[in-house]
Amino acid sequence: MVHVTAGSGARPSKQEYLMLLALAARTRADCLGRRVGAVVVRDDRVLSTGYNGTPIGMPNCTEGGCHRCLNRQTELYPEGRGYDLCVCVHAEQNALLAAARFGQSTLGATLHTTMRPCFGCLKEALQAGIVAVHYLSDWSSGDGEDQEALNTQYAALRSRFSEFAKVEVPLAALHPLLAELEKEGNLERR
């Protein structure tokens, strides 16, 4: 686990900065389930960002674009079921695909994401040449999976990264940043 502490004054550390970018990307997510944001970085340079939602040109989840999201509260698709019908692209996938679309190599890059990557995204990150993963919150698979096999395979993938760590960004580290924005008149309290 990586602990992030506030830098001097209101200037965030690099890890805080990158997680703030991932959180900002997350605000664009339109999935009716979990909202996730991701940032791909190499040599302290942001290569791409991504958030989860429907593919480009399709209606968003809130507009009925994903059948699974539209029916997620029914017995058709309880939590952890129906992912093969979900049209949403994960934040990590979108960040990797955006890098590819714009000609940015992800070889040797780090993935910063608001949620620990799922099994599929972890495979794709490894295949894309990502060497380190930092995340804010845990992910767990649904009950319908063969949990023992999934855990074994996930651990095998995870071991291939030079760094794989949950990041703790204390609210106290973010508060001074938000307070500064409010003081400057750039943030309204509601």
Side-chain angles (χ1 to χ4, degrees):
M1 183 172 309
V2 176
H3 291 280
V4 178
T5 57
S8 61
R11 184 174 187 220
S13 69
K14 284 182 186 176
Q15 188 65 259
E16 287 169 338
Y17 168 68
L18 295 169
M19 283 304 174
L20 285 168
L21 291 176
L23 286 165
R26 180 186 181 274
T27 65
R28 292 285 302 154
D30 193 59
C31 183
L32 296 177
R34 296 177 178 138
R35 296 175 56 209
V36 181
V39 179
V40 176
V41 177
R42 189 181 62 241
D43 300 327
D44 290 334
R45 191 174 122 241
V46 174
L47 301 178
S48 61
T49 63
Y51 54 88
N52 56 325
T54 57
I56 294 170
M58 292 188 69
N60 288 316
C61 293
T62 54
E63 300 164 335
C66 177
H67 176 76
R68 182 179 178 274
C69 279
L70 192 62
N71 294 286
R72 66 180 288 108
Q73 300 301 329
T74 69
E75 56 190 49
L76 283 176
Y77 307 112
E79 187 174 346
R81 303 276 190 193
Y83 287 115
D84 52 335
L85 297 173
C86 183
V87 72
C88 293
V89 181
H90 291 191
E92 300 88 349
Q93 292 170 320
N94 267 327
L96 294 170
L97 292 167
R101 187 179 315 119
F102 297 112
Q104 298 293 320
S105 172
T106 55
L107 189 62
T110 300
L111 176 65
H112 300 267
T113 180
T114 60
M115 181 172 285
R116 182 168 55 99
C118 72
F119 185 68
C121 287
L122 196 61
K123 291 187 295 185
E124 292 159 6
L126 185 61
Q127 194 69 7
I130 298 295
V131 296
V133 176
H134 298 148
Y135 61 94
L136 285 176
S137 62
D138 278 316
W139 161 84
S140 62
S141 63
D143 293 334
E145 303 293 333
D146 180 347
Q147 203 61 46
E148 185 177 337
L150 180 62
N151 290 342
T152 300
Q153 291 294 97
Y154 195 95
L157 289 172
R158 184 178 172 158
S159 72
R160 306 295 299 174
F161 295 91
S162 64
E163 192 174 345
F164 193 95
K166 183 174 183 179
V167 175
E168 299 265 336
V169 178
L171 187 56
L174 301 179
H175 180 71
L177 300 170
L178 297 173
E180 183 178 323
L181 286 171
E182 183 179 34
K183 182 180 171 185
E184 293 172 357
N186 296 324
L187 184 70
E188 285 184 28
R189 286 217 185 254
R190 292 185 183 194

